[in-house]
């Protein structure tokens, strides 16, 4: 048989395998040994033994001497050797047929395994897609749950609507108050403008009156001055007469 190096594994390490022959040479040697029924064990090869038996039988037949018993003996030995040589061949044929059937079974199994591998790859791709979809759905569920929690923290809808109605009423009141304030402010502006106008006219009237009074006082003062001057002139004339 083919001399091969043994694989030695120790502490997680594996030594490389060395072959005395290549794979093709190994197959050729095994095929030749099966056909010739030769082995590496000691002893004469069966085919050579069969050849020797045949040559001995043929040589004995070709002799002219009376050797019928020897021929029968050699013939029986040759037939026995044929049977001995044929039996391993039949066994080898059975083994070969079994190997062929096993190879066919292995081929079918390989085809089935390849089909299962392709199916498994398809299933894996489908499962990947389902996993992505499941992650998306889970994310949506988590978001919905977070929104639900936020909604649960809010007051009831009736209370919210009541608060909205109160706020709308308050806004309407504020708007009405704002309109009233605007109107009041406009009225106050008009009243203040009128007051300023009246004050201005009053101030003008007071200034005119003060001017008139001053003119009257000035006229009275001039009249008094003239009266005094006239009185002083008459007294002087009287003293001169005296």
């Amino acid at each position: 048989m083919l001399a091969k190096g043994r694989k030695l594994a120790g502490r997680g390490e594996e030594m490389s395998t060395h072959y005395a022959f290549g794979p093709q040479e190994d197959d050729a040697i095994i095929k030749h040994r099966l056909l010739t029924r030769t082995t590496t064990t000691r002893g004469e090869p069966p085919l050579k033994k069969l050849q020797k038996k045949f040559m001995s039988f043929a040589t004995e037949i070709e002799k002219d001497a009376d050797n019928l018993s020897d021929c029968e003996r050699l013939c029986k030995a040759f037939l026995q050797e044929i049977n001995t040589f044929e039996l391993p061949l039949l066994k080898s044929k059975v083994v070969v047929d079994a190997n062929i059937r096993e190879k066919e079974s292995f081929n079918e199994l390989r085809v089935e395994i390849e089909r299962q591998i392709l199916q498994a790859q398809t299933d894996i791709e489908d499962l990947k897609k389902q996993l992505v979809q499941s992650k998306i759905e889970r994310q949506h569920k988590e978001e919905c749950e977070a929104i639900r929690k936020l909604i649960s923290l809010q007051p009831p809808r009736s209370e919210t609507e009541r608060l909205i109605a109160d706020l709308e009423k308050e806004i309407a009141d504020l708007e009405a108050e704002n309109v009233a304030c605007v109107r009041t402010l406009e009225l106050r502006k008009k009243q203040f403008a009128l007051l300023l106008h009246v004050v201005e006219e009053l101030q003008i009237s007071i200034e005119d009156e003060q001017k008139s009074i001053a003119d009257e006082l000035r006229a009275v003062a001039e009249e008094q001055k003239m009266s005094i001057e006239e009185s002083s002139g008459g007294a002087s004339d009287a003293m001169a007469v005296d």
Side-chain angles (χ1 to χ4, degrees), residues 230-242:
E230 289 179 356
S231 298
S232 300
S236 299
D237 292 338
M239 291 179 63
V241 171
D242 291 335

Side-chain angles (χ1 to χ4, degrees), residues 19 28 31 42-43 47 57 63 69 103 141 151 183 207 209 218 220-221 223 225 229 238:
Y19 298 93
K31 183 177 180 180
R42 294 180 180 180
L47 187 60
F57 175 62
K63 291 180 180 180
S69 59
K103 181 180 178 182
K141 288 181 180 179
I151 292 174
R183 291 177 180 177
E207 290 178 354
E209 188 176 353
R218 191 178 302 111
V220 171
E223 290 179 355
K225 183 177 181 182
E229 289 179 352

Side-chain angles (χ1 to χ4, degrees), residues 142-159:
E142 291 178 352
E143 292 176 355
C144 291
E145 182 65 21
I147 294 173
R148 188 190 65 80
K149 290 181 179 179
L150 290 175
I151 292 174
S152 63
L153 295 176
Q154 302 301 321
R157 182 174 181 179
S158 58
E159 184 177 354

Side-chain angles (χ1 to χ4, degrees), residues 38 53 79 88 92 225:
T38 57
K53 295 289 184 181
L79 293 176
S92 298
K225 183 177 181 182

